[in-house]
Amino acid sequence: MAGRAVRRTRFAPSPTGLLHLGHAYAALVAAREAGPGQFLLRIEDIDRDRCRPEFEAAIHEDLAWLGLDWQRPVMRQTGRMEAYRAALTRLAPLCYPCRCRRGDIRAALSAPQEGALPAGPDGLIYPGTCRGRSMADAGADDVIRLDVARAFDMLQIDRLAFRDEAIMPGHDHNLSRAEFLDGIGDVILARRGMGTSYHLAVVVDDAAQGITVITRGKDLYDSTWIHVLLQKLMKLPTPLYHHHRLIRDEAGRRLAKRDDARAIRQLRAEGASPQDIHRMVGF
Ligand code: GLU
């Protein structure tokens, strides 16, 4: 009889600041959900302008202090540019280069309507200005977008689905093609000068690391649809998801990296023990 697949989870922080209580919670959930399986760490450092080596060193130190242990070697996204390039080449027939800046997009979107502009997990819903451009004309200043309608046509599907073991376990989460087009739109697969985007990198890396359960905050739930679409296009398995609650401050706001008062090392400097941190996030 075939054994059950080993569960493999990861914590994937970006070294753009100190880890705070929200990160501690996310890391503890990922480690717990690995169970007797494997817990991995991945450093998401593609945004070279914002990532700093001292924050990366602090991630390792803070997680170890919290009592976590992870598989080595640790994957770092800046070491993975070749894999992202290969993925982008594979998806290129469904992509187009886009030269629109945020101001162009805002202007195109606000022409017919007043008030809030339509936005999704990848920012403003792109109005399609550059959709007719060919990849052969891609310039160094362009971003690369996925033509989502063509992607759905190619796949010959009209909805996406995934399973989440924390939200509605045992039932499919569904999103239709129309909902994707209206609520997310033509997502960016490569940012200007970056060679990839968060969405492309996370999908390529989760597959390369054989992650079977993706634990992440509910704030990324809408982005998961983008990842499921990319998995289908690249014929990668869709893992199980586990979207967890977010740790909030007393005013109910989500914690941000700039909230240094809740940085793990600040709390540690004030005398908190690892057990105190576990307790503070409800473990
Ligand atoms: N790197 C992402 C973050 O810092 C999380 C990774 C993911 O779950 O996709 O929020």
Side-chain angles (χ1 to χ4, degrees), residues 155-186:
L155 292 168
Q156 298 187 307
I157 55 174
D158 60 13
R159 57 182 46 243
L160 296 172
F162 69 82
R163 291 263 170 134
D164 190 300
E165 59 180 18
I167 308 172
M168 291 197 328
H171 295 273
D172 275 351
H173 290 240
N174 281 288
L175 190 82
S176 71
R177 167 194 167 116
E179 286 167 329
F180 199 118
L181 288 170
D182 294 347
I184 302 175
D186 287 355

PDB file of all heavy atoms in Angstrom, residues 155-186:
ATOM      1  N   LEU A 155      -6.286  26.852 -21.715  1.00  0.00           N
ATOM      2  CA  LEU A 155      -6.538  25.744 -20.786  1.00  0.00           C
ATOM      3  C   LEU A 155      -7.896  25.092 -21.030  1.00  0.00           C
ATOM      4  O   LEU A 155      -8.158  23.992 -20.542  1.00  0.00           O
ATOM      5  CB  LEU A 155      -6.483  26.249 -19.335  1.00  0.00           C
ATOM      6  CG  LEU A 155      -5.121  26.693 -18.821  1.00  0.00           C
ATOM      7  CD1 LEU A 155      -5.263  27.432 -17.487  1.00  0.00           C
ATOM      8  CD2 LEU A 155      -4.192  25.494 -18.648  1.00  0.00           C
ATOM      9  N   GLN A 156      -8.749  25.815 -21.745  1.00  0.00           N
ATOM     10  CA  GLN A 156     -10.119  25.341 -22.001  1.00  0.00           C
ATOM     11  C   GLN A 156     -10.852  25.015 -20.700  1.00  0.00           C
ATOM     12  O   GLN A 156     -11.462  23.950 -20.558  1.00  0.00           O
ATOM     13  CB  GLN A 156     -10.099  24.121 -22.926  1.00  0.00           C
ATOM     14  CG  GLN A 156      -9.503  24.456 -24.286  1.00  0.00           C
ATOM     15  CD  GLN A 156      -9.638  23.315 -25.272  1.00  0.00           C
ATOM     16  OE1 GLN A 156      -9.246  22.190 -24.978  1.00  0.00           O
ATOM     17  NE2 GLN A 156     -10.213  23.599 -26.431  1.00  0.00           N
ATOM     18  N   ILE A 157     -10.736  25.949 -19.758  1.00  0.00           N
ATOM     19  CA  ILE A 157     -11.484  25.804 -18.513  1.00  0.00           C
ATOM     20  C   ILE A 157     -12.207  27.121 -18.253  1.00  0.00           C
ATOM     21  O   ILE A 157     -11.821  28.161 -18.801  1.00  0.00           O
ATOM     22  CB  ILE A 157     -10.571  25.488 -17.294  1.00  0.00           C
ATOM     23  CG1 ILE A 157      -9.459  26.541 -17.152  1.00  0.00           C
ATOM     24  CG2 ILE A 157      -9.977  24.095 -17.403  1.00  0.00           C
ATOM     25  CD1 ILE A 157      -8.626  26.374 -15.896  1.00  0.00           C
ATOM     26  N   ASP A 158     -13.262  27.084 -17.463  1.00  0.00           N
ATOM     27  CA  ASP A 158     -13.905  28.360 -17.145  1.00  0.00           C
ATOM     28  C   ASP A 158     -13.980  28.607 -15.641  1.00  0.00           C
ATOM     29  O   ASP A 158     -14.629  29.531 -15.186  1.00  0.00           O
ATOM     30  CB  ASP A 158     -15.284  28.504 -17.815  1.00  0.00           C
ATOM     31  CG  ASP A 158     -16.232  27.411 -17.381  1.00  0.00           C
ATOM     32  OD1 ASP A 158     -15.909  26.696 -16.396  1.00  0.00           O
ATOM     33  OD2 ASP A 158     -17.284  27.262 -18.023  1.00  0.00           O
ATOM     34  N   ARG A 159     -13.281  27.751 -14.863  1.00  0.00           N
ATOM     35  CA  ARG A 159     -13.138  28.063 -13.444  1.00  0.00           C
ATOM     36  C   ARG A 159     -11.896  27.399 -12.860  1.00  0.00           C
ATOM     37  O   ARG A 159     -11.384  26.433 -13.388  1.00  0.00           O
ATOM     38  CB  ARG A 159     -14.377  27.699 -12.637  1.00  0.00           C
ATOM     39  CG  ARG A 159     -14.863  26.287 -12.670  1.00  0.00           C
ATOM     40  CD  ARG A 159     -16.150  26.149 -11.841  1.00  0.00           C
ATOM     41  NE  ARG A 159     -17.098  27.220 -12.144  1.00  0.00           N
ATOM     42  CZ  ARG A 159     -17.502  28.137 -11.238  1.00  0.00           C
ATOM     43  NH1 ARG A 159     -17.061  28.105 -10.002  1.00  0.00           N
ATOM     44  NH2 ARG A 159     -18.358  29.071 -11.574  1.00  0.00           N
ATOM     45  N   LEU A 160     -11.450  27.990 -11.756  1.00  0.00           N
ATOM     46  CA  LEU A 160     -10.296  27.455 -11.034  1.00  0.00           C
ATOM     47  C   LEU A 160     -10.789  26.931  -9.690  1.00  0.00           C
ATOM     48  O   LEU A 160     -11.804  27.419  -9.175  1.00  0.00           O
ATOM     49  CB  LEU A 160      -9.269  28.564 -10.779  1.00  0.00           C
ATOM     50  CG  LEU A 160      -8.622  29.204 -11.999  1.00  0.00           C
ATOM     51  CD1 LEU A 160      -7.786  30.406 -11.557  1.00  0.00           C
ATOM     52  CD2 LEU A 160      -7.758  28.201 -12.754  1.00  0.00           C
ATOM     53  N   ALA A 161     -10.056  25.995  -9.136  1.00  0.00           N
ATOM     54  CA  ALA A 161     -10.443  25.463  -7.825  1.00  0.00           C
ATOM     55  C   ALA A 161      -9.206  25.099  -7.023  1.00  0.00           C
ATOM     56  O   ALA A 161      -8.164  24.770  -7.582  1.00  0.00           O
ATOM     57  CB  ALA A 161     -11.319  24.218  -8.001  1.00  0.00           C
ATOM     58  N   PHE A 162      -9.319  25.235  -5.710  1.00  0.00           N
ATOM     59  CA  PHE A 162      -8.293  24.684  -4.819  1.00  0.00           C
ATOM     60  C   PHE A 162      -8.967  24.271  -3.529  1.00  0.00           C
ATOM     61  O   PHE A 162     -10.132  24.591  -3.281  1.00  0.00           O
ATOM     62  CB  PHE A 162      -7.145  25.678  -4.574  1.00  0.00           C
ATOM     63  CG  PHE A 162      -7.490  26.900  -3.744  1.00  0.00           C
ATOM     64  CD1 PHE A 162      -7.511  26.838  -2.353  1.00  0.00           C
ATOM     65  CD2 PHE A 162      -7.779  28.106  -4.362  1.00  0.00           C
ATOM     66  CE1 PHE A 162      -7.822  27.966  -1.602  1.00  0.00           C
ATOM     67  CE2 PHE A 162      -8.088  29.243  -3.609  1.00  0.00           C
ATOM     68  CZ  PHE A 162      -8.118  29.170  -2.231  1.00  0.00           C
ATOM     69  N   ARG A 163      -8.245  23.529  -2.723  1.00  0.00           N
ATOM     70  CA  ARG A 163      -8.754  23.106  -1.410  1.00  0.00           C
ATOM     71  C   ARG A 163      -7.948  23.791  -0.312  1.00  0.00           C
ATOM     72  O   ARG A 163      -6.745  23.978  -0.459  1.00  0.00           O
ATOM     73  CB  ARG A 163      -8.613  21.586  -1.257  1.00  0.00           C
ATOM     74  CG  ARG A 163      -9.543  20.797  -2.170  1.00  0.00           C
ATOM     75  CD  ARG A 163     -10.769  20.397  -1.403  1.00  0.00           C
ATOM     76  NE  ARG A 163     -11.776  19.847  -2.298  1.00  0.00           N
ATOM     77  CZ  ARG A 163     -12.446  18.722  -2.040  1.00  0.00           C
ATOM     78  NH1 ARG A 163     -12.172  18.021  -0.955  1.00  0.00           N
ATOM     79  NH2 ARG A 163     -13.384  18.324  -2.857  1.00  0.00           N
ATOM     80  N   ASP A 164      -8.653  24.115   0.747  1.00  0.00           N
ATOM     81  CA  ASP A 164      -8.015  24.756   1.890  1.00  0.00           C
ATOM     82  C   ASP A 164      -8.372  23.923   3.109  1.00  0.00           C
ATOM     83  O   ASP A 164      -9.539  23.592   3.301  1.00  0.00           O
ATOM     84  CB  ASP A 164      -8.561  26.186   2.026  1.00  0.00           C
ATOM     85  CG  ASP A 164      -7.782  27.008   3.049  1.00  0.00           C
ATOM     86  OD1 ASP A 164      -7.745  26.594   4.222  1.00  0.00           O
ATOM     87  OD2 ASP A 164      -7.248  28.055   2.683  1.00  0.00           O
ATOM     88  N   GLU A 165      -7.377  23.557   3.900  1.00  0.00           N
ATOM     89  CA  GLU A 165      -7.701  22.685   5.040  1.00  0.00           C
ATOM     90  C   GLU A 165      -8.157  23.472   6.266  1.00  0.00           C
ATOM     91  O   GLU A 165      -8.579  22.880   7.245  1.00  0.00           O
ATOM     92  CB  GLU A 165      -6.529  21.752   5.383  1.00  0.00           C
ATOM     93  CG  GLU A 165      -5.260  22.474   5.730  1.00  0.00           C
ATOM     94  CD  GLU A 165      -4.126  21.523   6.061  1.00  0.00           C
ATOM     95  OE1 GLU A 165      -4.185  20.332   5.720  1.00  0.00           O
ATOM     96  OE2 GLU A 165      -3.160  21.999   6.667  1.00  0.00           O
ATOM     97  N   ALA A 166      -8.069  24.807   6.188  1.00  0.00           N
ATOM     98  CA  ALA A 166      -8.509  25.621   7.321  1.00  0.00           C
ATOM     99  C   ALA A 166      -9.855  26.281   7.046  1.00  0.00           C
ATOM    100  O   ALA A 166     -10.664  26.458   7.950  1.00  0.00           O
ATOM    101  CB  ALA A 166      -7.461  26.691   7.638  1.00  0.00           C
ATOM    102  N   ILE A 167     -10.107  26.678   5.796  1.00  0.00           N
ATOM    103  CA  ILE A 167     -11.358  27.349   5.442  1.00  0.00           C
ATOM    104  C   ILE A 167     -12.185  26.387   4.588  1.00  0.00           C
ATOM    105  O   ILE A 167     -11.715  25.937   3.543  1.00  0.00           O
ATOM    106  CB  ILE A 167     -11.090  28.632   4.625  1.00  0.00           C
ATOM    107  CG1 ILE A 167     -10.066  29.529   5.343  1.00  0.00           C
ATOM    108  CG2 ILE A 167     -12.378  29.392   4.353  1.00  0.00           C
ATOM    109  CD1 ILE A 167      -9.607  30.720   4.503  1.00  0.00           C
ATOM    110  N   MET A 168     -13.387  26.065   5.018  1.00  0.00           N
ATOM    111  CA  MET A 168     -14.258  25.114   4.304  1.00  0.00           C
ATOM    112  C   MET A 168     -13.521  23.823   3.945  1.00  0.00           C
ATOM    113  O   MET A 168     -13.497  23.415   2.775  1.00  0.00           O
ATOM    114  CB  MET A 168     -14.773  25.718   2.970  1.00  0.00           C
ATOM    115  CG  MET A 168     -15.746  26.835   3.097  1.00  0.00           C
ATOM    116  SD  MET A 168     -16.655  27.150   1.549  1.00  0.00           S
ATOM    117  CE  MET A 168     -15.586  26.757   0.200  1.00  0.00           C
ATOM    118  N   PRO A 169     -12.895  23.163   4.919  1.00  0.00           N
ATOM    119  CA  PRO A 169     -12.141  21.955   4.561  1.00  0.00           C
ATOM    120  C   PRO A 169     -13.042  20.923   3.888  1.00  0.00           C
ATOM    121  O   PRO A 169     -14.209  20.799   4.245  1.00  0.00           O
ATOM    122  CB  PRO A 169     -11.603  21.446   5.906  1.00  0.00           C
ATOM    123  CG  PRO A 169     -12.391  22.149   6.958  1.00  0.00           C
ATOM    124  CD  PRO A 169     -12.875  23.433   6.359  1.00  0.00           C
ATOM    125  N   GLY A 170     -12.471  20.240   2.905  1.00  0.00           N
ATOM    126  CA  GLY A 170     -13.246  19.196   2.232  1.00  0.00           C
ATOM    127  C   GLY A 170     -14.103  19.707   1.088  1.00  0.00           C
ATOM    128  O   GLY A 170     -14.751  18.928   0.395  1.00  0.00           O
ATOM    129  N   HIS A 171     -14.127  21.026   0.891  1.00  0.00           N
ATOM    130  CA  HIS A 171     -14.920  21.591  -0.210  1.00  0.00           C
ATOM    131  C   HIS A 171     -14.014  22.388  -1.130  1.00  0.00           C
ATOM    132  O   HIS A 171     -13.043  22.988  -0.687  1.00  0.00           O
ATOM    133  CB  HIS A 171     -16.013  22.518   0.326  1.00  0.00           C
ATOM    134  CG  HIS A 171     -17.037  21.798   1.141  1.00  0.00           C
ATOM    135  ND1 HIS A 171     -18.141  21.194   0.599  1.00  0.00           N
ATOM    136  CD2 HIS A 171     -17.086  21.549   2.478  1.00  0.00           C
ATOM    137  CE1 HIS A 171     -18.837  20.608   1.553  1.00  0.00           C
ATOM    138  NE2 HIS A 171     -18.220  20.806   2.716  1.00  0.00           N
ATOM    139  N   ASP A 172     -14.390  22.413  -2.402  1.00  0.00           N
ATOM    140  CA  ASP A 172     -13.617  23.221  -3.346  1.00  0.00           C
ATOM    141  C   ASP A 172     -13.876  24.710  -3.138  1.00  0.00           C
ATOM    142  O   ASP A 172     -15.014  25.115  -2.908  1.00  0.00           O
ATOM    143  CB  ASP A 172     -14.032  22.880  -4.789  1.00  0.00           C
ATOM    144  CG  ASP A 172     -13.283  21.676  -5.314  1.00  0.00           C
ATOM    145  OD1 ASP A 172     -12.342  21.214  -4.646  1.00  0.00           O
ATOM    146  OD2 ASP A 172     -13.648  21.199  -6.408  1.00  0.00           O
ATOM    147  N   HIS A 173     -12.813  25.496  -3.236  1.00  0.00           N
ATOM    148  CA  HIS A 173     -12.949  26.946  -3.374  1.00  0.00           C
ATOM    149  C   HIS A 173     -12.926  27.181  -4.887  1.00  0.00           C
ATOM    150  O   HIS A 173     -12.082  26.605  -5.573  1.00  0.00           O
ATOM    151  CB  HIS A 173     -11.776  27.672  -2.723  1.00  0.00           C
ATOM    152  CG  HIS A 173     -11.786  27.573  -1.227  1.00  0.00           C
ATOM    153  ND1 HIS A 173     -11.855  28.671  -0.414  1.00  0.00           N
ATOM    154  CD2 HIS A 173     -11.762  26.493  -0.408  1.00  0.00           C
ATOM    155  CE1 HIS A 173     -11.864  28.275   0.852  1.00  0.00           C
ATOM    156  NE2 HIS A 173     -11.804  26.964   0.879  1.00  0.00           N
ATOM    157  N   ASN A 174     -13.826  27.987  -5.384  1.00  0.00           N
ATOM    158  CA  ASN A 174     -13.960  28.171  -6.836  1.00  0.00           C
ATOM    159  C   ASN A 174     -13.879  29.620  -7.241  1.00  0.00           C
ATOM    160  O   ASN A 174     -14.346  30.495  -6.517  1.00  0.00           O
ATOM    161  CB  ASN A 174     -15.343  27.675  -7.287  1.00  0.00           C
ATOM    162  CG  ASN A 174     -15.378  26.176  -7.393  1.00  0.00           C
ATOM    163  OD1 ASN A 174     -14.789  25.612  -8.308  1.00  0.00           O
ATOM    164  ND2 ASN A 174     -16.022  25.539  -6.439  1.00  0.00           N
ATOM    165  N   LEU A 175     -13.339  29.856  -8.417  1.00  0.00           N
ATOM    166  CA  LEU A 175     -13.366  31.201  -9.004  1.00  0.00           C
ATOM    167  C   LEU A 175     -13.575  31.035 -10.501  1.00  0.00           C
ATOM    168  O   LEU A 175     -12.883  30.245 -11.154  1.00  0.00           O
ATOM    169  CB  LEU A 175     -12.046  31.941  -8.746  1.00  0.00           C
ATOM    170  CG  LEU A 175     -12.088  33.427  -9.114  1.00  0.00           C
ATOM    171  CD1 LEU A 175     -12.724  34.255  -7.992  1.00  0.00           C
ATOM    172  CD2 LEU A 175     -10.687  33.970  -9.411  1.00  0.00           C
ATOM    173  N   SER A 176     -14.547  31.783 -11.050  1.00  0.00           N
ATOM    174  CA  SER A 176     -14.813  31.652 -12.480  1.00  0.00           C
ATOM    175  C   SER A 176     -13.853  32.524 -13.285  1.00  0.00           C
ATOM    176  O   SER A 176     -13.235  33.460 -12.765  1.00  0.00           O
ATOM    177  CB  SER A 176     -16.258  32.064 -12.784  1.00  0.00           C
ATOM    178  OG  SER A 176     -16.376  33.469 -12.640  1.00  0.00           O
ATOM    179  N   ARG A 177     -13.785  32.219 -14.549  1.00  0.00           N
ATOM    180  CA  ARG A 177     -12.977  33.013 -15.482  1.00  0.00           C
ATOM    181  C   ARG A 177     -13.410  34.482 -15.431  1.00  0.00           C
ATOM    182  O   ARG A 177     -12.578  35.385 -15.354  1.00  0.00           O
ATOM    183  CB  ARG A 177     -13.191  32.420 -16.874  1.00  0.00           C
ATOM    184  CG  ARG A 177     -12.693  33.257 -18.007  1.00  0.00           C
ATOM    185  CD  ARG A 177     -13.278  32.726 -19.340  1.00  0.00           C
ATOM    186  NE  ARG A 177     -13.053  33.701 -20.383  1.00  0.00           N
ATOM    187  CZ  ARG A 177     -12.287  33.498 -21.455  1.00  0.00           C
ATOM    188  NH1 ARG A 177     -11.701  32.345 -21.627  1.00  0.00           N
ATOM    189  NH2 ARG A 177     -12.123  34.450 -22.342  1.00  0.00           N
ATOM    190  N   ALA A 178     -14.720  34.713 -15.441  1.00  0.00           N
ATOM    191  CA  ALA A 178     -15.221  36.093 -15.426  1.00  0.00           C
ATOM    192  C   ALA A 178     -14.814  36.797 -14.137  1.00  0.00           C
ATOM    193  O   ALA A 178     -14.426  37.976 -14.150  1.00  0.00           O
ATOM    194  CB  ALA A 178     -16.746  36.099 -15.582  1.00  0.00           C
ATOM    195  N   GLU A 179     -14.873  36.085 -13.020  1.00  0.00           N
ATOM    196  CA  GLU A 179     -14.470  36.689 -11.743  1.00  0.00           C
ATOM    197  C   GLU A 179     -12.978  37.018 -11.741  1.00  0.00           C
ATOM    198  O   GLU A 179     -12.554  38.032 -11.194  1.00  0.00           O
ATOM    199  CB  GLU A 179     -14.802  35.741 -10.577  1.00  0.00           C
ATOM    200  CG  GLU A 179     -16.288  35.681 -10.273  1.00  0.00           C
ATOM    201  CD  GLU A 179     -16.672  34.525  -9.343  1.00  0.00           C
ATOM    202  OE1 GLU A 179     -16.004  33.455  -9.372  1.00  0.00           O
ATOM    203  OE2 GLU A 179     -17.651  34.686  -8.610  1.00  0.00           O
ATOM    204  N   PHE A 180     -12.183  36.169 -12.356  1.00  0.00           N
ATOM    205  CA  PHE A 180     -10.742  36.428 -12.444  1.00  0.00           C
ATOM    206  C   PHE A 180     -10.510  37.680 -13.295  1.00  0.00           C
ATOM    207  O   PHE A 180      -9.765  38.596 -12.910  1.00  0.00           O
ATOM    208  CB  PHE A 180     -10.012  35.218 -13.043  1.00  0.00           C
ATOM    209  CG  PHE A 180      -8.526  35.210 -12.768  1.00  0.00           C
ATOM    210  CD1 PHE A 180      -7.939  34.183 -12.025  1.00  0.00           C
ATOM    211  CD2 PHE A 180      -7.703  36.217 -13.256  1.00  0.00           C
ATOM    212  CE1 PHE A 180      -6.568  34.176 -11.763  1.00  0.00           C
ATOM    213  CE2 PHE A 180      -6.323  36.212 -13.003  1.00  0.00           C
ATOM    214  CZ  PHE A 180      -5.764  35.195 -12.262  1.00  0.00           C
ATOM    215  N   LEU A 181     -11.160  37.721 -14.449  1.00  0.00           N
ATOM    216  CA  LEU A 181     -10.943  38.862 -15.353  1.00  0.00           C
ATOM    217  C   LEU A 181     -11.391  40.170 -14.707  1.00  0.00           C
ATOM    218  O   LEU A 181     -10.705  41.188 -14.809  1.00  0.00           O
ATOM    219  CB  LEU A 181     -11.697  38.638 -16.671  1.00  0.00           C
ATOM    220  CG  LEU A 181     -11.087  37.559 -17.573  1.00  0.00           C
ATOM    221  CD1 LEU A 181     -12.026  37.219 -18.728  1.00  0.00           C
ATOM    222  CD2 LEU A 181      -9.728  38.008 -18.108  1.00  0.00           C
ATOM    223  N   ASP A 182     -12.541  40.142 -14.021  1.00  0.00           N
ATOM    224  CA  ASP A 182     -13.081  41.377 -13.430  1.00  0.00           C
ATOM    225  C   ASP A 182     -12.377  41.763 -12.132  1.00  0.00           C
ATOM    226  O   ASP A 182     -12.238  42.947 -11.829  1.00  0.00           O
ATOM    227  CB  ASP A 182     -14.577  41.214 -13.103  1.00  0.00           C
ATOM    228  CG  ASP A 182     -15.405  41.060 -14.362  1.00  0.00           C
ATOM    229  OD1 ASP A 182     -14.865  41.317 -15.455  1.00  0.00           O
ATOM    230  OD2 ASP A 182     -16.576  40.657 -14.235  1.00  0.00           O
ATOM    231  N   GLY A 183     -11.968  40.767 -11.373  1.00  0.00           N
ATOM    232  CA  GLY A 183     -11.469  41.065 -10.027  1.00  0.00           C
ATOM    233  C   GLY A 183      -9.954  41.012  -9.872  1.00  0.00           C
ATOM    234  O   GLY A 183      -9.421  41.448  -8.848  1.00  0.00           O
ATOM    235  N   ILE A 184      -9.260  40.487 -10.865  1.00  0.00           N
ATOM    236  CA  ILE A 184      -7.790  40.383 -10.772  1.00  0.00           C
ATOM    237  C   ILE A 184      -7.150  40.951 -12.043  1.00  0.00           C
ATOM    238  O   ILE A 184      -6.301  41.825 -11.990  1.00  0.00           O
ATOM    239  CB  ILE A 184      -7.338  38.918 -10.539  1.00  0.00           C
ATOM    240  CG1 ILE A 184      -7.985  38.357  -9.259  1.00  0.00           C
ATOM    241  CG2 ILE A 184      -5.811  38.851 -10.451  1.00  0.00           C
ATOM    242  CD1 ILE A 184      -7.711  36.885  -8.990  1.00  0.00           C
ATOM    243  N   GLY A 185      -7.568  40.448 -13.191  1.00  0.00           N
ATOM    244  CA  GLY A 185      -7.081  40.995 -14.466  1.00  0.00           C
ATOM    245  C   GLY A 185      -5.728  40.440 -14.891  1.00  0.00           C
ATOM    246  O   GLY A 185      -5.258  39.418 -14.371  1.00  0.00           O
ATOM    247  N   ASP A 186      -5.108  41.114 -15.844  1.00  0.00           N
ATOM    248  CA  ASP A 186      -3.842  40.662 -16.436  1.00  0.00           C
ATOM    249  C   ASP A 186      -2.684  40.929 -15.468  1.00  0.00           C
ATOM    250  O   ASP A 186      -2.122  42.027 -15.428  1.00  0.00           O
ATOM    251  CB  ASP A 186      -3.577  41.375 -17.773  1.00  0.00           C
ATOM    252  CG  ASP A 186      -4.480  40.863 -18.881  1.00  0.00           C
ATOM    253  OD1 ASP A 186      -5.242  39.902 -18.645  1.00  0.00           O
ATOM    254  OD2 ASP A 186      -4.423  41.432 -19.989  1.00  0.00           O
TER     255      ASP A 186
END
